[in-house]
Amino acid sequence: MNASAVEPAVINSSIQAPTTSQTFVYIAAIFAAVGGLLFGYDTGVISGALIFIKRSFGLSIFQQELAVSSVLVGAAVFAITGGSLSDRYGRRKMLLITSVIFIAGALVCAFAGSIQILILGRVMVGIGIGLASSVVPLYIAEISPASARGWQVSLFQLAITIGILVAYLADYVFTPSSGWRWMLGLAVVPGVLLGAGMLFLPETPRFLARHGHFDLARTVLIKIRGTQDVEEEFQEIKTASQETALRGHVSDLLLPALRPALMIGIGLAIFQQVTGINTIIYYAPYIIRTAGISSLQGSILATAGIGTVNVVMTLVSMWLIDRVGRRPLLLTGIAGMIVSLGALGFIFHLQAKGGELAGLAVVILMFYVASFAISLGPIFWLLIAEIYPLKIRGLATGIAAGTNWLANFVVSLTFLSLLKSLGPSLTFWLYGVLAIGSWLFSYYLVPETKGRTLEEIEQFWHKKPVVNQLKSTIA
Ligand code: BGC
């Protein structure tokens, strides 16, 4: 297949963004960071808190898995519906509601008197991060100049990784006092930041235009671009919003031309999760202790090291993504994941026979996370923001994001049980086999989008010959 037949540099063009849009780009970047922090902090914080929650409430394995996974149920459902809810009520209003739900959920967790209340709080927090994960990218895409869209999507993943790292550090700080309530309660901070940000940020010009508020849309555009000279862009938005008013439906995604795009979004969403990233992110201290590092603080510190690798390698990926393209990074990173999952399984195999390989296990975990951070991590979120036509972008992005949360839920709900029934070696080898599937899927199906405008990518799906090429590779 000629996957590289799709096109070049969204991020390149963002680097060349006109100076008049710089202020806006800066504000949007901060906004993206807050949305990603919510996502990262809340999914990451549970890894260190779990040990103490287990002690406080005397949890069974299944209850521990529920404490970890309940966030994901809310997230899955509300990521899928988030896009269309924001079509009806507005991106800004939905994000304000998101921040309120999110703050309330974090407080319920912090003051929970029973495991049931804790799980309720985790579901509320999940609703917040599910909404944030589909509406934040939509909001950013609609206020961004087209030339800045690409790198901002990758900034979203960067913020996720920073949120996870901050969560690990919070876990480390509160470990001596067994302060799991503080660990979960601190999530209020990004929630407040998001709410405060949205009070000052405007509704998107595209949403306003779609609802017929053209004057307001022009005023907002002038404000966020920092110039009166917005007529050309305003006319584009007006035209696009009129097209978007012909509301897209799920059935559009099933049309032959768009089916490959649907498959890619859903497929990558599943593969991003079933290759095991969150067994490391959520259960890292547990795995490290299983590998033989017995001190509680030692294992949490090693986890923070893993979080740092995640942030740094995401930065590396952002630097490389326009230079080498999405496909080479994706394929190289997944290959690294396959090798490290194989090695990890092997280490646990030796460990079971009495080896002392805890340090090596941590190094391999870091290599695994580094491989994910340059590939499936950022590139999944980037591709689902890039590959869908404008008319159905929110809907399709929501479906892909929701699928990702569902897959995340299944993996984290089953991980401890798998460890118990299969043992660590076979469990990691299983993820390794799924990573091989993920490599083949990406090799045969994922197109190269480097350097292409969203409109060019949109055209790509409708060019029959190229779609046929894609199909013939599938077959
Ligand atoms: C994934 C999350 C994961 C994170 C790790 C994201 O792209 O969607 O599930 O926890 O990366 O950095």
Side-chain angles (χ1 to χ4, degrees):
M1 110 168 202
N2 183 11
S4 57
V6 200
E7 321 88 81
V10 185
I11 295 182
N12 267 345
S13 26
S14 73
I15 292 162
Q16 295 149 11
T19 43
T20 47
S21 66
Q22 291 305 306
T23 310
F24 161 70
V25 167
Y26 181 65
I27 292 168
I30 291 174
F31 183 82
V34 174
L37 278 179
L38 282 171
F39 179 153
Y41 185 85
D42 260 291
T43 53
V45 78
I46 195 70
S47 67
L50 189 63
I51 295 163
F52 305 112
I53 297 173
K54 182 184 161 191
R55 279 187 204 156
S56 289
F57 295 126
L59 304 184
S60 66
I61 283 192
F62 182 67
Q63 284 175 319
Q64 286 177 65
E65 287 170 339
L66 266 186
V68 171
S69 316
S70 41
V71 151
L72 311 176
V73 183
V77 176
F78 280 82
I80 293 173
T81 48
S84 27
L85 281 175
S86 72
D87 278 342
R88 191 177 307 174
Y89 301 110
R91 285 53 164 129
R92 178 175 175 269
K93 202 177 280 174
M94 280 315 295
L95 284 172
L96 275 169
I97 292 170
T98 299
S99 76
V100 172
I101 295 175
F102 190 80
I103 294 166
L107 291 174
V108 169
C109 286
F111 293 103
S114 68
I115 182 64
Q116 288 77 7
I117 300 290
L118 181 75
I119 288 172
L120 174 74
R122 296 275 295 158
V123 171
M124 289 168 73
V125 165
I127 293 173
I129 59 178
L131 288 174
S133 71
S134 59
V135 184
V136 168
L138 261 185
Y139 180 86
I140 295 169
E142 290 190 348
I143 57 172
S144 284
S147 59
R149 215 178 273 133
W151 70 264
Q152 284 179 0
V153 175
S154 295
L155 267 177
F156 182 63
Q157 171 72 13
L158 178 69
I160 292 171
T161 63
I162 293 173
I164 291 170
L165 182 60
V166 172
Y168 287 166
L169 294 177
D171 285 350
Y172 182 65
V173 167
F174 294 111
T175 285
S177 57
S178 305
W180 65 266
R181 292 179 189 279
W182 278 104
M183 294 175 191
L184 299 186
L186 265 186
V188 162
V189 175
V192 169
L193 279 177
L194 175 64
M198 289 322 300
L199 282 177
F200 294 102
L201 288 167
E203 182 51 86
T204 73
R206 188 172 302 278
F207 177 85
L208 292 168
R210 193 184 312 157
H211 288 258
H213 307 300
F214 294 116
D215 288 345
L216 200 50
R218 188 192 274 108
T219 309
V220 169
L221 203 56
I222 289 170
K223 189 172 161 198
I224 62 181
R225 295 286 178 266
T227 171
Q228 295 286 330
D229 185 18
V230 296
E231 207 43 41
E232 199 183 326
E233 188 179 359
F234 174 68
Q235 288 307 329
E236 273 171 15
I237 287 181
K238 196 171 171 186
T239 310
S241 72
Q242 282 159 346
E243 278 169 19
T244 313
L246 315 165
R247 289 274 287 277
H249 297 285
V250 181
S251 53
D252 293 327
L253 278 167
L254 299 174
L255 296 173
L258 289 182
R259 233 178 278 153
L262 179 67
M263 275 181 61
I264 290 168
I266 291 181
L268 283 180
I270 293 172
F271 280 123
Q272 199 209 36
Q273 295 299 325
V274 297
T275 44
I277 182 62
N278 287 316
T279 66
I280 312 293
I281 300 293
Y282 302 165
Y283 294 104
Y286 186 93
I287 295 173
I288 290 166
R289 283 195 303 144
T290 308
I293 292 181
S294 51
S295 100
L296 202 55
Q297 270 186 290
S299 71
I300 291 185
L301 199 57
T303 307
I306 289 170
T308 307
V309 168
N310 199 9
V311 173
V312 172
M313 292 309 289
T314 303
L315 281 167
V316 171
S317 177
M318 286 170 68
W319 185 73
L320 284 174
I321 208 158
D322 271 326
R323 293 174 166 83
V324 303
R326 279 70 156 150
R327 272 176 61 84
L329 266 184
L330 193 59
L331 296 173
T332 310
I334 298 173
M337 290 167 70
I338 295 169
V339 171
S340 42
L341 285 167
L344 207 56
F346 194 59
I347 291 234
F348 279 109
H349 181 69
L350 294 178
Q351 194 91 327
K353 297 190 168 162
E356 272 304 328
L357 298 162
L360 189 58
V362 172
V363 171
I364 293 173
L365 280 179
M366 287 183 176
F367 183 72
Y368 166 83
V369 169
S371 305
F372 173 87
I374 61 160
S375 59
L376 275 174
I379 294 173
F380 163 67
W381 295 106
L382 176 56
L383 283 174
I384 65 167
E386 284 182 335
I387 59 174
Y388 297 110
L390 177 64
K391 197 169 85 164
I392 41 115
R393 192 171 292 142
L395 182 67
T397 304
I399 290 173
T403 306
N404 185 265
W405 287 113
L406 271 180
N408 193 337
F409 175 69
V410 172
V411 173
S412 37
L413 192 65
T414 51
F415 174 61
L416 290 182
S417 307
L418 275 182
L419 271 189
K420 207 175 169 204
S421 55
L422 296 181
S425 299
L426 282 182
T427 303
F428 287 113
W429 281 336
L430 175 66
Y431 297 140
V433 169
L434 291 167
I436 293 174
S438 156
W439 194 94
L440 292 171
F441 179 91
S442 305
Y443 181 80
Y444 285 112
L445 290 182
V446 175
E448 180 57 79
T449 52
K450 179 181 83 141
R452 305 298 179 182
T453 65
L454 295 182
E455 291 66 35
E456 285 171 322
I457 296 169
E458 186 160 341
Q459 281 310 308
F460 165 76
W461 300 114
H462 291 100
K463 275 185 204 154
K464 242 183 165 225
V466 187
V467 172
N468 283 342
Q469 274 180 346
L470 265 172
K471 276 189 178 163
S472 61
T473 5
I474 299 167

